[in-house]
Amino acid sequence: MSKKAELHYNGKVYEVPVVIGTENENAIDISKLRGKSGLITLDRGFKNTGSCESAITFLDGEEGVLRYRGYSIEELAEKSTFLEVAFLLIYSELPTREELDAFTKDISEHSLVHEDVRSILDGFPSKAHPMGVLSSLVSSLTAFYPKSLDPNRSVEQINGTVIRAIAKLPTLAAWSYKNRVRQPIVYPKNNLSYSANFMQMMFALPTTDYVVSPVITKAIDKLLILHADHEQNCSTSTVRVVGSSHASLYASVSAGIAALWGPLHGGANQAVIEMLEAIRIDGGDVDKYVAKAKDKDDAFRLMGFGHRVYKSFDPRATIIKKAADDVLKELNINDPVLEIAKRLEEVALDDDYFKSRNLYPNVDFYSGIIYRALGIPTDMFTVMFALGRLPGWIAQWKEMRENHEPIGRPRQVYTGSKERKYVPIESR
Ligand code: ACO
């Protein structure tokens, strides 16, 4: 039986339908409310607004649950590979062995990018942040694949665009780093796994062979899985909204990369390491920084703490914290910032300010420590996040198109001047 909610306003009662999800999430559907009552809803930062119905990722922020297509993040991080998870997100089901082999082959055979991309890359100064370079290079793919501009093409053609995006992002990401350090670019190698191929493009040099350690590729794969999707976050919503105007997949993903870049979102992983380093250089006084984070007159926030939807714990952070310990042990690395991070977490979790606001470490709190141990430079951390998030962006873009969603166009409450007469410049 369909449920309804009632809204009482100005002496009238308006009935609004209630939509119920498979995990019993209830939502009031207000899409026709304005037509009936003249009312819109106001929800700054979309804190309590569902923008779509989605069958991709389930998240329960109160219980710390995260599932991709019904499978728990804990199991996927433990047992699957990144490309398997990418397949799951994009095509809804875990692949059979044959499907995964074909998918992997397809991706490795499309990893090369057009040689002319190199001249675009050469145009960037070495100081350019790799996220800016990556966003631009992804957008430039529309120039090399002009047919991808039409999002209404056949399923097979769209699939070609999808495969190219997954195949080429590691190449573009590694090249954005090579531009930064002014080293010759390295081409992809089809015989390597997705993560190993990325690492060799990052670190191989014409002068030396680069052998990728299995400890490193396994850790990268796990990190990519943990970042692969996270329902309607800032960058994913951006991808869906940009795509809702029928902009191409590459244009939408390029916009998603820009949204991810900010320090309140994916850019937090870079900001966390910079914060931990600053604390270390300042003598390691964790209490001082906790006090700063609590001080309303100080703009400082504990980066990697807090989350819009997780109000008990971020399950990804739990997995990453353990992985950080394991990876550092396996690589025999003693990083003093790991100790600072753990002390900071301990102090904050015992503090009323953080407890009362449900502020816990998020996915970015420990990920930077692993990236550092794997040799990834700090300003590439958010690029790693983008690599992981790509299948999620693609799945969400595809779902939005397949569901024929309307263009994303919120309303507003106008608070500016009432109509007034134009005043000629001489009279102002
Ligand atoms: N340090 C100190 N105080 C914080 C922090 C923090 N990291 N995060 C939130 N608060 C406080 C706020 O000051 C506010 O306090 P108040 O109620 O007294 O005004 C309260 O907690 C609620 O915070 P909001 O900013 O309103 O929460 P919102 O849901 O809008 O923001 C966000 C969530 C952006 C993640 C925030 O917690 C934050 O800035 N964290 C640090 C940046 C970060 O780690 N971002 C990565 C998020 S995960 C991801 O995107 C991959």
Side-chain angles (χ1 to χ4, degrees):
M1 207 181 62
S2 60
K3 278 193 179 174
K4 291 198 185 328
E6 284 182 351
L7 177 74
H8 296 242
Y9 178 67
N10 260 357
K12 286 197 179 148
V13 181
Y14 302 97
E15 272 199 345
V16 280
V18 173
V19 178
I20 303 173
T22 42
E23 293 285 349
N24 208 27
E25 288 177 309
N26 288 219
I28 300 167
D29 178 354
I30 53 91
S31 49
K32 297 203 167 63
L33 183 65
R34 185 172 177 275
K36 292 194 226 165
S37 66
L39 286 167
I40 64 162
T41 55
L42 178 63
D43 183 15
R44 294 176 190 87
F46 314 122
K47 290 197 173 194
N48 198 42
T49 292
S51 59
C52 60
E53 287 161 80
S54 177
I56 302 170
T57 288
F58 173 69
L59 198 166
D60 181 336
E62 277 71 34
E63 298 296 324
V65 172
L66 175 63
R67 295 185 204 127
Y68 300 160
R69 303 276 187 196
Y71 298 100
S72 80
I73 192 65
E74 289 79 8
E75 259 201 300
L76 291 171
E78 185 63 34
K79 298 176 185 165
S80 65
T81 63
F82 176 61
L83 287 189
E84 200 180 350
V85 168
F87 188 100
L88 170 70
L89 286 168
I90 296 167
Y91 305 111
S92 316
E93 295 296 337
L94 283 170
T96 61
R97 169 56 57 201
E98 290 72 34
E99 284 170 334
L100 184 61
D101 288 349
F103 184 61
T104 306
K105 185 165 176 285
D106 239 12
I107 285 170
S108 59
E109 286 175 356
H110 285 87
S111 53
L112 211 53
V113 297
H114 196 291
E115 272 300 286
D116 288 353
V117 171
R118 292 184 59 175
S119 49
I120 302 176
L121 185 71
D122 285 344
F124 283 99
S126 64
K127 284 196 178 73
H129 194 287
M131 281 297 274
V133 176
L134 188 65
S135 174
S136 307
L137 294 184
V138 169
S139 185
S140 83
L141 291 178
T142 54
F144 297 99
Y145 302 97
K147 287 184 181 155
S148 71
L149 289 174
D150 176 8
N152 297 311
R153 299 164 83 213
S154 70
V155 172
E156 291 73 31
Q157 288 166 326
I158 293 290
N159 201 42
T161 304
V162 165
I163 295 290
R164 282 195 186 93
I166 302 176
K168 294 180 199 310
L169 199 69
T171 312
L172 299 176
W175 286 12
S176 70
Y177 168 65
K178 289 295 194 192
N179 174 68
R180 184 88 154 136
V181 289
R182 283 294 189 247
Q183 285 176 3
I185 56 157
V186 176
Y187 287 96
K189 284 205 171 112
N190 288 6
N191 60 338
L192 293 178
S193 74
Y194 196 76
S195 300
N197 181 40
F198 170 71
M199 289 302 272
Q200 72 87 22
M201 286 191 285
M202 283 283 291
F203 297 116
L205 288 169
T207 45
T208 45
D209 284 334
Y210 179 77
V211 183
V212 195
S213 126
V215 174
I216 293 183
T217 48
K218 212 170 140 233
I220 297 270
D221 228 56
K222 187 177 280 208
L223 285 161
L224 297 183
I225 291 170
L226 292 171
H227 288 88
D229 195 46
H230 211 234
E231 49 123 288
Q232 307 312 316
N233 56 81
C234 175
S235 57
T236 301
S237 301
T238 299
V239 168
R240 284 184 89 123
V241 168
V242 171
S244 76
S245 74
H246 296 194
S248 73
L249 177 67
Y250 299 140
S252 307
V253 168
S254 165
I257 293 171
L260 185 73
W261 191 358
L264 295 192
H265 189 16
N269 54 15
Q270 175 175 342
V272 169
I273 282 291
E274 288 167 353
M275 174 189 77
L276 294 173
E277 264 301 332
I279 298 176
R280 188 186 64 81
I281 291 165
D282 195 24
D285 186 351
V286 161
D287 294 313
K288 175 175 160 189
Y289 284 85
V290 168
K292 267 166 78 64
K294 289 159 56 177
D295 182 354
K296 288 286 165 207
D297 297 325
D298 192 326
F300 176 80
R301 278 192 165 197
L302 273 196
M303 299 313 287
F305 253 77
H307 199 277
R308 171 59 63 78
V309 286
Y310 288 120
K311 298 301 167 201
S312 58
F313 66 97
D314 179 341
R316 303 166 303 170
T318 312
I319 301 171
I320 288 189
K321 184 179 178 185
K322 172 150 188 339
D325 267 333
D326 294 348
V327 168
L328 265 66
K329 213 174 281 163
E330 279 180 284
L331 297 175
N332 212 8
I333 292 173
N334 182 12
D335 189 341
V337 301
L338 178 61
E339 282 320 305
I340 294 180
K342 284 184 176 169
R343 267 196 290 136
L344 197 57
E345 180 186 358
E346 210 180 322
V347 172
L349 291 186
D350 198 35
D351 189 295
D352 271 349
Y353 174 94
F354 292 90
K355 282 201 268 191
S356 63
R357 289 170 179 77
N358 297 316
L359 301 172
Y360 298 89
N362 59 49
V363 66
D364 289 326
F365 194 64
Y366 286 103
S367 63
I369 293 171
I370 311 189
Y371 289 138
R372 220 155 96 117
L374 302 179
I376 307 278
T378 310
D379 59 10
M380 282 294 288
F381 290 0
T382 316
V383 169
M384 299 304 297
F385 195 150
L387 274 186
R389 185 53 54 88
L390 181 67
W393 288 333
I394 293 173
Q396 301 270 354
W397 182 89
K398 225 168 132 264
E399 182 181 69
M400 179 271 308
R401 297 286 305 131
E402 285 163 5
N403 288 353
H404 305 290
E405 279 174 24
I407 186 165
R409 203 295 185 193
R411 288 189 175 267
Q412 63 166 20
V413 175
Y414 176 68
T415 58
S417 305
K418 289 222 178 234
E419 186 179 14
R420 42 187 175 161
K421 283 267 176 263
Y422 176 78
V423 182
I425 195 156
E426 301 75 30
S427 318
R428 277 176 230 158

